[in-house]
Amino acid sequence: MKLYLRILSFVKPYKVIAFLSIVASVFFVMMNAFSLWMISSLLSTIMQPDKITKFSPITESSTLINKLEFYANSLIGGGSQVDQLKMLCLLLLGSFLLKNVFFYISNISLAFIQNRMIKDIRDDLFEHIQNLPLSFYDKSKSGELASIMIRDVAAMRVAFTETIQHLINSPISIIVLFSMLMLISAKMTLITLLIIPVSGFIVVKLGQSIRRKAKRSSIQIAGVMNILHEVLSGIRIVKAFAMERFEILRFKKENFKFYKLTFRQAKLSHITTPINDMIGVSIGIILLWIGGKEVLTTGSLSSESFIRFIIYLFAMMDPIKKLSNVNTKIQAGLASADRVFNVMDTPSNIVDPKNPVILNKFEREIKFTNVHFNYEQSDRPALSRINLTIQKGEMVALVGSSGAGKTTLVDLIPRFYDVSSGAITIDGTDVRDMSLDSLRSLMGIVNQDTILFNDTVGNNISYGLQKSDFELIKQSAKAANALEFIKQLPKGFDTIVGEKGTRLSGGQRQRISIARAILKNPSILILDEATSSLDTESERKVQNAIDNLVKDRTVIVIAHRLSTVVNADKIIVLDNGILTEIGKHDDLIKSNGIYKQLYDLQFKDRV
């Protein structure tokens, strides 16, 4: 119930439209009840052609049903039966016209609210995911997140497109029609009430089972999407190792599990309607027998009243059936909502402080003071006892074997992660006290895994900037040694690079990424193995560009190729998360430590 109420909380911005829909629903139900009364009067007129309509005056002893009959007969008039038939037809036409006008107003209002609700939920979910720290993505699969964003939110939409409408219209219809049944015959109405709980019990039990299976289906389709995402992303590797058949069988296995879950869910969903229909027919037959006996033998119920009762009873079965089916759809929607809100409830621990410091420029130093860091999923510290100062204008190189903690160390500076203990300060201000926007605006980052968007070369270079002059884009490309190959592309800077930049070579993608960082003109430039995808010639050219950028800029370089960092002002050697050596190239060679070992391994064939 709490979960459903949380979903309905998204209606608050549209409460005026919701009120309009409810008012329209009430008028729709009233006109529907009126039209049913007119239909029963029409049937009575046709079935009893010799009947004379009597206008019994209203007295203090008159029941409500007598008063309704008097007002209805007044509308029909006291003319000939042909005249009465004519008036009945006109009243029916008018009531159905008004009923459908109110029905449209109610439904279009609800359709607006439903679609805006789902849009708002998807917007909020995407915004929340964007603000979650990298630690969330470390333990979440992209296929699962895509499944939640698209499939589960869509499942909520399908569910509540039906349910919200019926949860407003159906209860109002049931209340009004039930009231009419009580007025006509309280005895037969109470008999109906004894049978309905059986239907309710069956529907609730089926709904609970459907919810469990719907949740399992959502989890299973996320598994299918993960396989699909992995295979499409790594299709070159799949083909290179001739693993097509293996991946096909893996996909079919997961897809078959999904099929079994959805089919079980479908079997339960489709059994609900036949059960409700049989219960409804059983109620109708029992009442037909009891009411028919009263009309034919005891005379305690008039034939006209009996006709009205049967018409209202079967009219009430439709909203009851819709309301019972609502539970089935709600349970499926709640299973998806549970997964959506689980993500939305994931806290973001990388946030701005209450009174953030705005740092507009970097002036002196970046300082690590006794920094420790652990990844959530690991017991072994990724960094331990890091004490380090990086002065403005320095080119600092981080070296070490894979897993030594180089990338982790630079990820702590822009607060992709927060330190487990210790502190990182920029010009004396702890990065945790700074505005995230101002902190990250100081930095340009080129990652080891180059990320380009399915957009033009120019837009990829200017990514993150509101406006950028074409000449600046061109100059940045030139500085990154990318201008020459860009000019050779079919549309130059307007060439679409493809998903993840697949239309460019690895070296070209890397240089576009470097140009993007250069255009940002950051005070701090972080190059995470930025030359790893380049051939020797391109590496030399990019290295020259990096050397030109060092002036008035702090550059932090992570590199396995030590040839790119021999001219660094400071080389920092990490081993298993511990800072073991620091100094210039020549000094570290002389010290005969880890750096010397790494250097000898890379250059032993050149001696």
Side-chain angles (χ1 to χ4, degrees), residues 33 36-38 40-41 63-66 68-69 176-190 291 294-295 300-315:
L36 292 174
W37 187 286
M38 291 296 103
S40 64
S41 297
T63 62
L64 183 57
I65 197 73
N66 295 141
L68 290 173
E69 286 178 346
V176 171
L177 295 174
F178 180 77
S179 301
M180 296 302 296
L181 289 174
M182 286 293 292
L183 289 174
I184 295 169
S185 174
K187 176 184 175 182
M188 291 198 295
T189 304
L190 292 174
E294 289 195 9
V295 172
S300 58
L301 187 68
S302 68
S303 58
E304 187 173 359
S305 294
F306 180 62
I307 290 171
R308 284 200 181 107
F309 188 91
I310 294 300
I311 288 173
Y312 278 116
L313 176 65
F314 280 97

Side-chain angles (χ1 to χ4, degrees), residues 108-382:
I108 199 65
S109 301
L110 282 176
F112 173 81
I113 295 170
Q114 292 154 9
N115 285 284
R116 286 303 295 263
M117 276 177 61
I118 298 305
K119 171 196 167 295
D120 293 345
I121 290 171
R122 188 172 274 134
D123 284 348
D124 288 356
L125 178 61
F126 184 78
E127 182 178 349
H128 185 71
I129 288 174
Q130 289 292 300
N131 291 324
L132 288 174
L134 287 183
S135 57
F136 170 79
Y137 295 93
D138 292 339
K139 56 190 177 185
S140 301
K141 298 176 181 178
S142 58
E144 183 177 5
L145 291 176
S147 174
I148 292 171
M149 176 68 71
I150 304 301
R151 185 183 183 276
D152 286 316
V153 174
M156 290 170 64
R157 179 187 182 281
V158 171
F160 293 100
T161 296
E162 298 286 336
T163 58
I164 293 177
Q165 176 185 354
H166 297 321
L167 283 174
I168 291 177
N169 286 344
S170 297
I172 297 173
S173 295
I174 291 169
I175 291 169
V176 171
L177 295 174
F178 180 77
S179 301
M180 296 302 296
L181 289 174
M182 286 293 292
L183 289 174
I184 295 169
S185 174
K187 176 184 175 182
M188 291 198 295
T189 304
L190 292 174
I191 292 171
T192 306
L193 288 179
L194 294 175
I195 304 172
I196 287 177
V198 177
S199 174
F201 177 79
I202 294 171
V203 167
V204 168
K205 287 298 178 184
L206 286 172
Q208 291 172 349
S209 183
I210 286 169
R211 180 175 178 178
R212 289 193 299 270
K213 287 174 175 57
K215 189 168 184 177
R216 290 177 199 153
S217 297
S218 294
I219 295 170
Q220 186 61 37
I221 193 61
V224 173
M225 291 186 70
N226 276 326
I227 293 175
L228 182 64
H229 181 265
E230 286 175 358
V231 171
L232 293 180
S233 299
I235 192 66
R236 289 178 180 271
I237 299 297
V238 173
K239 290 187 176 295
F241 284 85
M243 292 292 284
E244 292 94 339
R245 187 62 189 164
F246 171 80
E247 295 297 346
I248 289 169
L249 291 174
R250 189 161 71 108
F251 180 84
K252 285 184 176 180
K253 182 180 178 181
E254 291 297 313
N255 201 29
F256 185 71
K257 290 180 184 177
F258 178 63
Y259 148 74
K260 287 198 297 184
L261 284 169
T262 51
F263 184 58
R264 287 176 194 165
Q265 184 181 337
K267 285 192 291 185
L268 287 172
S269 297
H270 292 307
I271 197 67
T272 306
T273 299
I275 288 174
N276 285 330
D277 276 349
M278 286 306 301
I279 292 172
V281 168
S282 299
I283 293 172
I285 289 172
I286 291 169
L287 293 175
L288 188 62
W289 170 252
I290 295 172
K293 280 178 65 178
E294 289 195 9
V295 172
L296 297 173
T297 58
T298 64
S300 58
L301 187 68
S302 68
S303 58
E304 187 173 359
S305 294
F306 180 62
I307 290 171
R308 284 200 181 107
F309 188 91
I310 294 300
I311 288 173
Y312 278 116
L313 176 65
F314 280 97
M316 192 174 73
M317 287 301 149
D318 183 58
I320 287 176
K321 185 167 67 174
K322 287 179 179 176
L323 201 57
S324 64
N325 288 335
V326 160
N327 183 58
T328 302
K329 290 184 168 112
I330 283 179
Q331 296 307 322
L334 289 181
S336 292
D338 193 32
R339 283 164 53 78
V340 170
F341 289 131
N342 276 341
V343 176
M344 292 182 73
D345 290 339
T346 302
S348 178
N349 53 358
I350 308 292
V351 295
D352 281 342
K354 288 185 178 180
N355 298 301
V357 176
I358 307 298
L359 201 64
N360 294 318
K361 58 183 178 178
F362 172 51
E363 295 182 333
R364 298 190 306 277
E365 63 182 19
I366 303 170
K367 190 171 184 179
F368 289 71
T369 305
N370 202 28
V371 167
H372 293 252
F373 177 75
N374 278 74
Y375 286 104
E376 289 182 12
Q377 66 272 27
S378 175
D379 295 329
R380 189 176 73 86

Side-chain angles (χ1 to χ4, degrees), residues 350-353 356-362 365-366 410-418 424-427 429-445 520 522-526:
I350 308 292
V351 295
D352 281 342
V357 176
I358 307 298
L359 201 64
N360 294 318
K361 58 183 178 178
F362 172 51
E365 63 182 19
I366 303 170
V410 296
D411 280 348
L412 294 177
I413 302 173
R415 285 192 74 198
F416 292 155
Y417 303 92
D418 270 341
I424 300 173
T425 59
I426 296 179
D427 293 343
T429 302
D430 193 313
V431 293
R432 290 169 293 187
D433 296 329
M434 295 172 58
S435 156
L436 283 171
D437 285 346
S438 71
L439 171 66
R440 293 170 183 173
S441 67
L442 298 173
M443 303 172 195
I445 302 173
K520 189 178 179 182
S523 300
I524 303 166
L525 186 64
I526 298 174

Side-chain angles (χ1 to χ4, degrees), residues 581 586-593 595-596:
E581 299 175 42
D586 292 338
D587 296 332
L588 293 176
I589 291 292
K590 291 176 183 177
S591 68
N592 202 30
Y595 181 80
K596 176 67 162 54

Side-chain angles (χ1 to χ4, degrees), residues 349-562:
N349 53 358
I350 308 292
V351 295
D352 281 342
K354 288 185 178 180
N355 298 301
V357 176
I358 307 298
L359 201 64
N360 294 318
K361 58 183 178 178
F362 172 51
E363 295 182 333
R364 298 190 306 277
E365 63 182 19
I366 303 170
K367 190 171 184 179
F368 289 71
T369 305
N370 202 28
V371 167
H372 293 252
F373 177 75
N374 278 74
Y375 286 104
E376 289 182 12
Q377 66 272 27
S378 175
D379 295 329
R380 189 176 73 86
L383 294 172
S384 298
R385 303 186 305 277
I386 301 296
N387 289 282
L388 171 67
T389 300
I390 301 172
Q391 300 293 339
K392 179 182 178 181
E394 281 188 329
M395 178 179 176
V396 176
L398 300 176
V399 301
S401 58
S402 295
K406 304 183 297 296
T407 300
T408 301
L409 188 144
V410 296
D411 280 348
L412 294 177
I413 302 173
R415 285 192 74 198
F416 292 155
Y417 303 92
D418 270 341
V419 298
S420 301
S421 63
I424 300 173
T425 59
I426 296 179
D427 293 343
T429 302
D430 193 313
V431 293
R432 290 169 293 187
D433 296 329
M434 295 172 58
S435 156
L436 283 171
D437 285 346
S438 71
L439 171 66
R440 293 170 183 173
S441 67
L442 298 173
M443 303 172 195
I445 302 173
V446 180
N447 294 309
Q448 178 180 358
D449 298 321
T450 306
I451 303 297
L452 297 182
F453 299 94
N454 189 23
D455 205 339
T456 65
V457 171
N459 286 342
N460 269 286
I461 293 175
S462 62
Y463 183 76
L465 302 176
Q466 295 295 327
K467 291 182 180 180
S468 185
D469 184 82
F470 176 72
E471 283 303 316
L472 292 177
I473 294 174
K474 192 174 178 180
Q475 289 173 21
S476 300
K478 185 177 180 180
N481 206 37
L483 186 59
E484 184 178 345
F485 82 78
I486 292 174
K487 287 181 177 179
Q488 295 173 0
L489 295 174
K491 295 183 179 179
F493 283 90
D494 293 326
T495 302
I496 302 293
V497 301
E499 186 178 1
K500 294 184 179 179
T502 52
R503 296 179 186 174
L504 302 177
S505 69
Q508 290 172 338
R509 291 197 298 271
Q510 197 71 293
R511 280 179 277 173
I512 294 294
S513 182
I514 291 170
R516 180 166 60 198
I518 293 170
L519 181 62
K520 189 178 179 182
N521 193 28
S523 300
I524 303 166
L525 186 64
I526 298 174
L527 305 173
D528 187 352
E529 300 191 46
T531 61
S532 61
S533 299
L534 305 180
D535 55 46
T536 304
E537 179 62 20
S538 296
E539 180 185 340
R540 183 185 62 79
K541 292 179 180 179
V542 171
Q543 188 59 48
N544 290 336
I546 292 173
D547 291 339
N548 293 333
L549 289 171
V550 173
K551 187 178 180 181
D552 297 326
R553 186 175 283 108
T554 303
V555 181
I556 304 173
V557 180
I558 297 175
H560 282 306
R561 296 184 186 182
L562 301 185

